[in-house]
Amino acid sequence: MKTVVTPNAKLDLMAAHMKEAVEARGIATNIKQVQGEKSSSTWLSFTLHDKEFFYAKGMMLEYGADKWGRIGRNVNHGATLLVADKHKAKTYLASKGFSVPTGEVFRRKKIEDAYQAFDSFSGPICVKPNRGSLGRCVYPALKDRNWYQDAINRVAETYQNILIEESVEGGHFRFFYVQPKVVGIRHGIPTSVVGDGISTLEELSKTKNAERIRRNLPTHPPFPLDEDVHAFLASQGRSLDDVPAVAETVFLKGVSNAPAGADSFLRWDEVHPSYRRVVEQACKAVPGLLFSGVDIIIRDISEPAEGGNHWILEMNTSPAISSFYYPWEGDTVDVASDIVDLLLEHYQPASHSN
């Protein structure tokens, strides 16, 4: 592994915000190209208390701390093995008293067992990879056996382990945690359009994409009317030729993260503060977790948290930060600065370490 300073190289959007936060604290930065055997990648580099850090695309690494010869070790390394396995993480959180969806993991080679699991659920089902990211191959709210099996097949094409769990209903939120507290809350609304009683879903989608183009937010590019949209609509008995009623909201996808085309609304006062406490306690229960994007479903954000009205879906050890800078609606949150301040506090100079 070779690193070369490349000051003119372009950083990804998240790294650009991290660079600004680091330099605002009077700390010098570099842009480095990391060259591996088959490819190279561009990283932000900076040094705090004699430790060098590399950051790109939401991943923060402590340089040289990885025994396998990679760039470095994730600063959340103590938590990574646990939270990367979605089912294992939920089982752990449930053992600590936190509310999570119930489910089971099936290996691809035993796909028939996964098909049969349909009968063990009394309500809608969510099918997704047990180790996945960016909302890829996530199929929520499945009620029909044929669509359920089709979702399993789609996941199995790419992933070895398939997570099947109850599909809980409510708003999808990402709480951004920077030890010891939540610093931002994003409400992700899946790709959707609102009917006018005249236009088809395809026409409404084109109008919404035109608005996205006009706003030019990097987190809200035009969404394609791709196979996933067609499949999601078909699972509801609809197509792009349908004309929804006036003020009717029609979802084109079931997942609510930004890379999948969702709209990002930043909330704070609207969300009952008890949910912040739930997320903070959950993060503190996971050893080695310094900062995280925690996905949680909340049935009614105005009501206090209690059993049966919210469910933690997953935690992320390399969480994206862009949605907190480019929301569709809401005040931006400088989460990069919160992360830098945490690192300055957590990684003390050698003379002050125990």
Side-chain angles (χ1 to χ4, degrees):
M1 191 73 66
K2 181 181 179 182
T3 62
V4 179
V5 176
T6 52
N8 296 323
K10 185 177 180 180
L11 292 169
D12 68 82
L13 187 61
M14 288 184 274
H17 282 289
M18 190 64 67
K19 181 176 187 290
E20 183 177 346
V22 172
E23 292 179 346
R25 284 147 182 78
I27 301 165
T29 64
N30 280 309
I31 300 176
K32 293 187 176 182
Q33 203 77 16
V34 178
Q35 299 173 342
E37 292 183 3
K38 297 182 179 180
S39 62
S40 63
S41 53
T42 303
W43 295 75
L44 172 70
S45 166
F46 57 94
T47 299
L48 306 177
H49 303 320
D50 299 324
K51 289 185 181 293
E52 185 176 9
F53 295 89
F54 278 64
Y55 182 83
K57 299 180 179 178
M59 183 180 295
M60 183 74 72
L61 304 178
E62 181 185 344
Y63 179 67
D66 183 75
K67 65 181 180 180
W68 304 108
R70 295 171 295 196
I71 302 171
R73 187 172 63 183
N74 194 310
V75 297
N76 283 316
H77 65 92
T80 299
L81 289 179
L82 172 62
V83 304
D85 185 315
K86 300 181 191 300
H87 182 62
K88 184 178 179 181
K90 280 195 271 278
T91 301
Y92 174 82
L93 289 173
S95 73
K96 300 294 184 180
F98 297 99
S99 179
V100 300
T102 59
E104 188 175 355
V105 174
F106 296 87
R107 293 182 66 81
R108 181 168 53 194
K109 64 182 180 182
K110 292 191 175 182
I111 201 166
E112 290 293 335
D113 292 342
Y115 295 157
Q116 295 304 315
F118 181 86
D119 296 320
S120 65
F121 290 87
S122 58
I125 303 170
C126 181
V127 176
K128 57 186 174 183
N130 191 43
R131 292 176 180 265
S133 62
L134 303 178
R136 297 190 185 104
C137 293
V138 177
Y139 304 97
L142 298 169
K143 301 176 182 179
D144 177 83
R145 183 184 290 270
N146 290 330
W147 286 110
Y148 165 80
Q149 292 191 181
D150 181 67
I152 290 173
N153 292 337
R154 288 170 180 264
V155 175
E157 286 177 1
T158 307
Y159 299 91
Q160 186 176 38
N161 294 312
I162 307 158
L163 176 58
I164 298 172
E165 61 186 19
E166 62 175 330
S167 187
V168 292
E169 295 184 357
H172 190 136
F173 294 82
R174 167 159 289 193
F175 284 56
F176 206 99
Y177 169 83
V178 181
Q179 193 183 80
K181 63 183 180 179
V182 170
V183 298
I185 303 173
R186 169 190 174 269
H187 182 194
I189 299 180
T191 309
S192 61
V193 294
V194 179
D196 59 10
I198 300 172
S199 306
T200 66
L201 288 175
E202 183 171 9
E203 291 168 337
L204 291 168
S205 298
K206 289 180 179 178
T207 299
K208 184 161 187 177
N209 272 335
E211 172 66 7
R212 285 187 164 213
I213 292 171
R214 186 188 70 78
R215 290 206 191 187
N216 195 32
L217 295 171
T219 52
H220 295 78
F223 54 84
L225 298 178
D226 54 16
E227 181 182 352
D228 285 343
V229 170
H230 286 278
F232 186 77
L233 289 174
S235 70
Q236 304 171 71
R238 310 196 72 150
S239 75
L240 288 172
D241 294 327
D242 287 3
V243 177
V246 175
E248 179 188 1
T249 298
V250 179
F251 292 101
L252 306 180
K253 288 188 177 182
V255 292
S256 51
N257 57 343
D263 293 326
S264 294
F265 294 77
L266 296 190
R267 311 294 192 195
W268 189 261
D269 294 333
E270 306 95 319
V271 182
H272 197 281
S274 59
Y275 295 102
R276 299 203 300 269
R277 294 193 292 270
V278 166
V279 171
E280 288 163 1
Q281 291 165 3
C283 289
K284 290 171 185 175
V286 177
L289 191 63
L290 297 183
F291 64 91
S292 179
V294 181
D295 294 332
I296 180 172
I297 297 287
I298 302 175
R299 184 167 289 166
D300 184 344
I301 60 174
S302 67
E303 296 292 328
E306 60 183 17
N309 72 354
H310 69 282
W311 301 266
I312 296 176
L313 299 184
E314 62 182 82
M315 296 171 160
N316 297 272
T317 53
S318 296
I321 66 174
S322 299
S323 292
F324 290 91
Y325 291 92
Y326 305 98
W328 192 255
E329 181 181 293
D331 297 328
T332 61
V333 182
D334 188 9
V335 293
S337 288
D338 291 313
I339 293 171
V340 176
D341 289 341
L342 169 67
L343 295 178
L344 283 166
E345 181 179 351
H346 183 78
Y347 289 87
Q348 292 294 323
S351 59
H352 292 105
S353 61
N354 293 328

